[in-house]
Amino acid sequence: MTTTALPDSIEQLLHALRRLVRERRFTFVFVATLALGLAANMAVFAVLDAYLLRPLPYPGSSRLVEIYTNARKIHLQRLSSAAYRVLKRLPVLSDSGLIRDTRTATVRLQPGTAPHLFPAAYVTASLFPTLGIPPLLGRWPSAASRKPGGPREVVLSKALWQSAFGGNPGALGKTLVLHRQAFTVVGIMPGTFAFPSRRTKIWISTRLHNENQRNPFDEVDSLMIARRAPGVTPGQLQDALDSGFRRLMRQASPLLQAFVRHAGGYAGFRTLRHGLVGSTGKRLLIIQLGAGLLLMLAFSSLTNLALVRQLDQFHEAALRTALGARSRNVIPSLLGEAGILAGLATLLAWPLARLGTRAFVSFGIASRHTAFRTGQSAWSWLALWLLATLTAFLVIGLPRLVLPRRNLRALLAGGSRVLESVTIGSLRVGLSLVQIALAILLLVATVLVGTSLAGMLVRNPGFRDRHLDVAEVLLPTADRQHWTRFQADEGELKQLLEGLPGHPAVGIGLGIPFLGGNRSVFVRGLHFHPGKRNVFASDMIVGAGTLPLLGVHLQSGRLIGERDIVENAHVVDVDQSLAEGLFGSTHVLGKTISGLDSGLRIVGVVGSIHDRLDPADRDLHGTVIYPDERSIFPVALGGPLDVLLRSRTAPSRLHREIASALNRTLPDLVLARFTTLRTVIRRSVRGTFALVSLIGAFGLLALVLASIGTFGVIAYLVSTQEREFALREALGATPGAIAFQVFRKGVWLWLAGSALGVVAAWWATHLLAHRLYGLDASRPLGYILPVLAVGLVVLAACGIPALRLRRLSLLRVLRS
């Protein structure tokens, strides 16, 4: 029995292959539709698998956590060095390390040579044993490097070791000059080690100086990586952090304690995976949802296609049944067809999925951390083929279940009774409603997210960003710690830039909108007025002439000037949003607020500055602008100088001139970044733009599939009523009246599908509004445009069957 079953199965497989070759159009459409749905889901799932499912490349990665201090009213999720000294002693932690900063480092590979810029991480030596990745060569920084007077040591990435030293093991022990200080190379990390990001090329062992005496909430800019002790549960870790946070609060000043309580401060933790994924995880889940909807749409389209095909082959199936064919004999044929179609679809989906994965990287999604290795493995393709086979089997087999097979007389009599089957008609109409609803859902999401993105890019940011170039300049570490050196560097830099060909207008500051060069170390302040409500705001420090150069709109009062800086005046400018948030009006000149300092007198009000495009900034109510003075200097340490330039010179040429002038005149100052401000603004919404693009592609493809499905249903409905329409015409009905009957069916499908789609879209977009900043789910235009677009497609789909109906011969229809 087994020997005969195998040849029968092979014969059924060959028969299925020959049938698919004969039905080339069906095979092509089926394979292309299934491949598109599979490729979209495979590309997204490959990234999701890397980010959310695969273990991190660190031993015992499930016990690795990020520990931070945060506030419910303002997003920080960072830690001060003083707080690290307290929390690292918690017995629930077995190891811990600190990332003090991640920024570009000025490195001289040999003493006396030209400096190079490398992305660097300033870390404590204990970070490496906490992660548990041994070096490729050499060793980790020693414990002595953490102590004052200890050796200064660095670890290089494999890429930097190969590019700078040619992969020579003799690089160990070499001396590098970083910010005028000599460091010894003690280790080379493996090529797979990328922490905290893929860009990091050098890890610099940092020291904690006298942090026990400092405010535990000052300079909240570090990141603590720790490993839970064996057997410690997340609940026990949180209890220990709560106890440690209370100790931190007791060390703070009364004013700062009030600030932390108002902000809802607490100590918390998250898994290291969660910290590395960040907001990318939410974007990926949203995109995966869109890809899943697209696969559902493809499934309904394929089912409709398979039903049409089965109706065309109805006489063959009837004859086989009449000759004694049984249902079990059909199963091998169905499996053969499904396997062949799934195999072809998988082969086509493979390059498309790879292109989709690359698109994620090029768009800036799923490319931040190389700890996540994206790609499709062999087992995933096998699983995809099995999924495609199951999908194809269900799609091809479903029409056979709904077609009548027991009434032999009906089967042999012809297809009219079958075509008029209520079950078949309801199935086809239901599938088309699903297609229309899903198309509208995806298109609404595209329009709403896209218009929100356009609003971010087009709206006035509160200053003139046109022809405005920006640069970030790194100062020597020692100069950033002394006010007189800092002021001297700032003055020399401005004089140098103003003397360039073209004489650009120059403004210098920190926390300039959209740059955020010092946002990690410059804590956004809690600003308040006695007896009034307290609000959080972005803080910006400006030099003389910076605000006029930025092009802010002065509404009342005056802008901060050089005299305010020289006299160390306790004055500020505020934007309209902050004035209204604090006082309920913009008539605030002469009023006093508190924040980074007490007794700050408002001397000017500018238009609202719109630089907050991230959900973490929802609780910020405006911007306060400080003069670049001595009293503000201690809170502005650590970040680069933000430089604004307006010039008629092309940005590329100006970039070369600035870099050359700095190397020639001020070699200790390093140009870390130069670009146009508009480019910075666009990059700030890059992730949202990628989301819009991908969902938009899904929406357009959904519209195409919905168009094909709607056309098929209308054509089917027309074919089932051809005799009825012929009789109507014979009895005096005009062609226009008959065409109206056809269009009425299409309009009914459109209205019913639109109702389902709008309800689903309303629910989905309100869900997305809590995860995407700036998304307004209540815009009527975002729902009207997709409904109208689908309506036009439906009308076009109705027009073709209506024209075909008018060309039919009345006599031929009646005789048939």
Side-chain angles (χ1 to χ4, degrees):
M1 181 174 180
T2 305
T3 57
T4 58
L6 185 60
D8 288 343
S9 299
I10 295 176
E11 180 62 29
Q12 291 288 349
L13 181 63
L14 293 176
H15 176 71
L17 180 60
R18 289 192 294 267
R19 181 186 302 177
L20 292 175
V21 171
R22 289 196 308 269
E23 302 172 355
R24 289 186 293 273
R25 288 184 296 178
F26 167 80
T27 303
F28 174 77
V29 175
F30 193 100
V31 168
T33 304
L34 182 58
L36 288 173
L38 293 176
N41 282 270
M42 192 62 185
V44 182
F45 180 77
V47 182
L48 274 177
D49 178 46
Y51 270 61
L52 303 180
L53 301 179
R54 297 182 200 169
L56 292 177
Y58 309 113
S61 60
S62 61
R63 292 194 289 123
L64 288 173
V65 295
E66 288 185 6
I67 295 178
Y68 52 81
T69 52
N70 199 11
R72 293 176 177 84
K73 295 185 179 181
I74 185 171
H75 185 78
L76 293 175
Q77 291 196 337
R78 288 294 186 268
L79 197 74
S80 70
S81 299
Y84 168 70
R85 285 187 177 272
V86 174
L87 297 180
K88 74 175 183 177
R89 298 189 180 96
L90 294 176
V92 294
L93 302 176
S94 60
D95 295 290
S96 64
L98 190 70
I99 303 175
R100 284 292 303 271
D101 199 0
T102 54
R103 64 173 183 267
T104 304
T106 307
V107 182
R108 298 180 189 270
L109 300 176
Q110 299 288 342
T113 60
H116 295 77
L117 295 179
F118 296 112
Y122 296 78
V123 302
T124 60
S126 59
L127 176 69
F128 296 97
T130 300
L131 295 175
I133 301 295
L136 180 67
L137 293 176
R139 59 175 176 82
W140 293 323
S142 62
S145 65
R146 293 181 289 177
K147 301 177 181 178
R152 300 182 184 275
E153 298 175 340
V154 298
V155 175
L156 306 182
S157 69
K158 183 180 179 180
L160 178 57
W161 172 57
Q162 291 176 335
S163 62
F165 299 99
N168 184 0
L172 295 177
K174 290 280 188 181
T175 298
L176 305 182
V177 180
L178 286 80
H179 308 301
R180 299 178 181 173
Q181 296 176 335
F183 286 78
T184 303
V185 178
V186 297
I188 310 296
M189 295 305 292
T192 55
F193 184 77
F195 190 87
S197 74
R198 72 165 65 224
R199 298 180 61 251
T200 306
K201 294 295 187 293
I202 183 171
W203 292 268
I204 304 168
S205 180
T206 189
R207 303 169 180 176
L208 308 181
H209 297 288
N210 300 321
E211 299 292 347
N212 278 327
Q213 308 302 322
R214 301 190 63 178
N215 196 319
F217 298 103
D218 193 17
E219 295 188 21
V220 184
D221 59 343
S222 302
L223 187 63
M224 179 178 177
I225 308 298
R227 185 180 291 272
R228 286 189 285 122
V232 174
T233 65
Q236 291 172 335
L237 175 58
Q238 186 59 61
D239 292 340
L241 291 176
D242 292 340
S243 176
F245 188 78
R246 287 191 291 270
R247 290 200 298 272
L248 292 175
M249 287 287 288
R250 288 193 292 269
Q251 298 178 20
S253 64
L255 179 62
L256 191 57
Q257 288 185 26
F259 167 83
V260 174
R261 281 194 297 268
H262 177 78
Y266 65 96
F269 75 95
R270 58 186 178 183
T271 63
L272 181 59
R273 177 189 296 277
H274 186 194
L276 293 176
V277 171
S279 60
T280 301
K282 294 180 180 179
R283 292 194 181 104
L284 289 175
L285 290 174
I286 294 172
I287 295 172
Q288 181 64 75
L289 176 61
L293 293 175
L294 184 64
L295 185 61
M296 291 176 56
L297 186 57
F299 185 88
S300 61
S301 298
L302 293 176
T303 305
N304 230 335
L305 179 65
L307 184 58
V308 173
R309 178 209 188 199
Q310 191 63 30
L311 290 174
D312 289 338
Q313 297 176 349
F314 189 77
H315 292 286
E316 178 185 351
L319 183 59
R320 288 178 177 273
T321 303
L323 294 177
R326 298 182 180 180
S327 298
R328 66 172 179 267
N329 296 330
V330 180
I331 299 299
S333 177
L334 288 178
L335 285 175
E337 286 189 5
I340 294 171
L341 292 171
L344 294 174
T346 303
L347 289 176
L348 181 58
W350 179 74
L352 295 176
R354 289 180 64 88
L355 288 175
T357 304
R358 292 178 183 176
F360 281 108
V361 176
S362 63
F363 271 125
I365 294 181
S367 61
R368 186 177 179 186
H369 301 285
T370 51
F372 308 110
R373 300 285 179 174
T374 58
Q376 293 85 15
S377 58
W379 71 266
S380 64
W381 285 112
L382 177 61
L384 181 68
W385 177 77
L386 292 176
L387 175 63
T389 301
L390 178 61
T391 301
F393 179 78
L394 294 176
V395 166
I396 298 174
L398 182 61
R400 298 177 182 268
L401 296 178
V402 299
L403 288 175
R405 304 188 59 85
R406 296 185 179 277
N407 191 340
L408 182 60
R409 183 176 180 181
L411 291 174
L412 296 176
S416 60
R417 297 178 186 178
V418 176
L419 292 174
E420 294 170 1
S421 168
V422 175
T423 303
I424 297 175
S426 300
L427 177 62
R428 298 210 63 186
V429 171
L431 291 172
S432 292
L433 290 178
V434 170
Q435 291 173 341
I436 292 174
L438 290 177
I440 289 177
L441 171 58
L442 289 171
L443 289 173
V444 167
T446 303
V447 172
L448 288 178
V449 178
T451 52
S452 299
L453 175 67
M456 295 178 188
L457 294 175
V458 174
R459 70 178 178 180
N460 180 11
F463 49 85
R464 293 185 289 110
D465 60 335
R466 189 176 183 184
H467 302 306
L468 188 61
D469 301 318
V470 296
E472 290 184 350
V473 178
L474 292 172
L475 274 61
T477 303
D479 292 8
R480 293 201 304 266
Q481 296 173 352
H482 300 87
W483 167 248
T484 53
R485 295 184 188 177
F486 177 85
Q487 196 175 37
D489 287 339
E490 192 177 73
E492 292 178 358
L493 175 63
K494 186 173 183 180
Q495 184 178 2
L496 173 67
L497 296 179
E498 290 176 340
L500 292 175
H503 303 287
V506 180
I508 297 179
L510 297 102
I512 299 297
F514 292 102
L515 293 186
N518 68 323
R519 289 298 178 88
S520 63
V521 297
F522 192 64
V523 180
R524 294 153 177 162
L526 170 67
H527 298 272
F528 57 91
H529 177 65
K532 300 290 184 180
R533 52 186 168 172
N534 303 335
V535 300
F536 292 96
S538 295
D539 300 311
M540 180 166 57
I541 303 174
V542 297
T546 303
L547 290 179
L549 179 63
L550 186 61
V552 297
H553 175 62
L554 181 63
Q555 294 185 347
S556 60
R558 63 177 178 85
L559 298 177
I560 289 173
E562 184 173 3
R563 183 177 178 181
D564 300 316
I565 298 173
V566 172
E567 296 179 353
N568 202 33
H570 289 241
V571 297
V572 293
D573 287 336
V574 298
D575 72 347
Q576 178 181 344
S577 298
L578 182 59
E580 293 176 346
L582 282 173
F583 301 97
S585 73
T586 57
H587 303 291
V588 296
L589 295 181
K591 294 184 182 295
T592 302
I593 66 172
S594 295
L596 296 174
D597 201 350
S598 59
L600 300 171
R601 183 168 52 89
I602 300 175
V603 297
V605 178
V606 301
S608 296
I609 296 177
H610 303 288
D611 66 330
R612 293 168 288 279
L613 305 181
D614 190 273
D617 296 331
R618 290 182 185 274
D619 293 312
L620 298 180
H621 294 273
T623 302
V624 60
I625 306 167
Y626 296 88
D628 187 3
E629 60 187 19
R630 191 182 190 94
S631 63
I632 299 298
F633 174 70
V635 299
L637 297 176
L641 286 177
D642 298 334
V643 182
L644 302 175
L645 303 103
R646 285 194 187 272
S647 173
R648 296 181 181 273
T649 307
S652 58
R653 180 182 174 185
L654 187 59
H655 184 193
R656 291 193 299 269
E657 291 176 350
I658 293 175
S660 176
L662 286 176
N663 290 333
R664 189 173 57 250
T665 308
L666 299 173
D668 291 330
L669 275 62
V670 179
L671 182 63
R673 180 168 68 158
F674 183 92
T675 185
T676 64
L677 188 55
R678 285 196 169 182
T679 301
V680 176
I681 295 174
R682 285 182 171 86
R683 287 176 181 172
S684 66
V685 292
R686 188 179 182 185
T688 305
F689 176 76
L691 185 63
V692 173
S693 301
L694 291 171
I695 294 180
F698 294 160
L700 291 177
L701 187 55
L703 185 61
V704 172
L705 294 177
S707 305
I708 296 173
T710 304
F711 169 76
V713 168
I714 298 299
Y716 160 75
L717 293 176
V718 169
S719 65
T720 60
Q721 293 182 294
E722 283 182 353
R723 289 184 298 171
E724 175 188 346
F725 291 147
L727 288 174
R728 287 176 177 271
E729 186 176 352
L731 296 176
T734 62
I738 295 177
F740 175 76
Q741 296 293 325
V742 176
F743 279 101
R744 188 176 66 176
K745 297 179 182 295
V747 170
W748 180 86
L749 280 175
W750 170 53
L751 293 177
S754 297
L756 292 175
V758 167
V759 171
W762 182 88
W763 176 81
T765 51
H766 276 76
L767 188 64
L768 290 179
H770 297 288
R771 292 163 175 81
L772 293 178
Y773 182 74
L775 177 61
D776 185 2
S778 61
R779 294 179 178 177
L781 196 62
Y783 299 88
I784 294 174
L785 289 179
V787 170
L788 292 179
V790 174
L792 292 176
V793 169
V794 170
L795 292 178
C798 295
I800 297 176
L803 291 175
R804 177 178 172 272
L805 188 63
R806 295 187 61 179
R807 294 173 182 173
L808 289 177
S809 170
L810 174 63
L811 183 60
R812 183 170 63 85
V813 171
L814 291 177
R815 286 179 176 177
S816 65

